[in-house]
Amino acid sequence: QKEVEQDPGPLSVPEGAIVSLNCTYSNSAFQYFMWYRQYSRKGPELLMYTYSSGNKEDGRFTAQVDKSSKYISLFIRDSQPSDSATYLCAMRGTGTASKLTFGTGTRLQVTL
Amino acid sequence: DSGVTQTPKHLITATGQRVTLRCSPRSGDLSVYWYQQSLDQGLQFLIHYYNGEERAKGNILERFSAQQFPDLHSELNLSSLELGDSALYFCASGGGHGNTDTQYFGPGTRLTVL
């Protein structure tokens, strides 16, 4: 079993829809949680970063972390065609030497 | 633009050869991380350097090695290349400006081994 599980999709939604992307994980040592967006094999772009449990909002994006369930989510409101990309969750434990462990990514397609 | 630069963008070579990938971190970042992304494996952590010293190793093959120089740029050396080494190789940097928690990725080097 992988440390981080993420549904690969593809997920297709109409423009304007609310998108929900999720990851589950098994390592309780993970404390930092990130969402990256990756366009067609370009470098991953950091979207959201949260520490421990709770919610964080940035514009149309909301990240949620539920450590008791080992479950994280990214919500995208008013989705746009430009949001079409692969979304990768990533997480790490504490310490400066702690590596990021990534999910396999969910491919999102927002249609007109 | 993340501020992380990687060269070259594309590399095509033959099996058995050796290549060097280069990464320059964001200004002020002390850490450099290397990742491999292939279609069937996703993003896999290879190695982490902090201010010139190796800090952590992931699933890095013995044929691969890396180093970080005094000016903080890093090189990833891949030798005795095999077809299965074809992948995107990303460098990420972080650990600067007092923020040790996030990593910023470069545009990647696409390696094709024929």
Side-chain angles (χ1 to χ4, degrees):
Chain A
Q1 184 185 4
K2 292 182 179 179
E3 277 189 296
V4 180
E5 299 279 357
Q6 185 175 9
D7 187 334
L11 178 63
S12 183
V13 301
E15 183 179 9
I18 297 174
V19 176
S20 172
L21 303 166
N22 311 293
C23 287
T24 59
Y25 64 95
S26 57
N27 189 343
S28 57
F30 289 144
Q31 297 285 338
Y32 298 90
F33 303 90
M34 283 143 264
W35 286 95
Y36 287 83
R37 178 175 62 194
Q38 186 175 27
Y39 290 112
S40 59
R41 311 297 276 176
K42 302 289 187 185
E45 172 193 0
L46 181 65
L47 278 180
M48 300 287 286
Y49 154 72
T50 53
Y51 170 70
S52 195
S53 286
N55 295 354
K56 185 173 183 179
E57 187 174 321
D58 184 0
R60 296 185 296 112
F61 298 93
T62 299
Q64 288 186 352
V65 175
D66 181 350
K67 289 187 67 181
S68 63
S69 302
K70 297 188 175 67
Y71 188 88
I72 70 170
S73 301
L74 177 71
F75 297 95
I76 307 174
R77 290 182 297 282
D78 187 25
S79 56
Q80 303 295 310
S82 58
D83 294 328
S84 299
T86 296
Y87 290 80
L88 300 152
C89 64
M91 46 199 80
R92 62 181 285 255
T94 56
T96 55
S98 186
K99 66 180 179 71
L100 284 179
T101 300
F102 282 84
T104 51
T106 299
R107 189 156 57 92
L108 171 67
Q109 181 72 38
V110 181
T111 58
L112 291 170
Chain B
D1 184 355
S2 66
V4 179
T5 60
Q6 287 187 251
T7 56
K9 286 186 180 179
H10 303 280
L11 205 48
I12 301 174
T13 189
T15 54
Q17 295 298 304
R18 172 189 170 95
V19 296
T20 297
L21 282 53
R22 183 187 169 101
C23 168
S24 293
R26 295 187 321 155
S27 175
D29 283 351
L30 301 176
S31 278
V32 169
Y33 305 80
W34 286 97
Y35 292 85
Q36 179 191 57
Q37 187 177 41
S38 55
L39 283 174
D40 58 344
Q41 291 290 325
L43 263 168
Q44 299 291 317
F45 167 72
L46 294 178
I47 198 164
H48 169 209
Y49 274 84
Y50 177 82
N51 202 21
E53 294 186 3
E54 181 185 304
R55 295 298 295 270
K57 269 187 175 179
N59 299 321
I60 188 166
L61 299 172
E62 285 193 11
R63 301 183 285 109
F64 296 0
S65 64
Q67 54 184 328
Q68 187 179 27
F69 295 87
D71 67 351
L72 300 178
H73 91 271
S74 178
E75 293 181 355
L76 179 67
N77 300 295
L78 314 177
S79 61
S80 303
L81 285 168
E82 303 175 359
L83 295 177
D85 297 327
S86 296
L88 271 168
Y89 290 84
F90 289 106
C91 159
S93 78
H97 313 283
N99 183 354
T100 61
D101 303 326
T102 53
Q103 296 180 24
Y104 297 88
F105 281 75
T109 293
R110 183 182 296 277
L111 173 66
T112 302
V113 182
L114 300 175

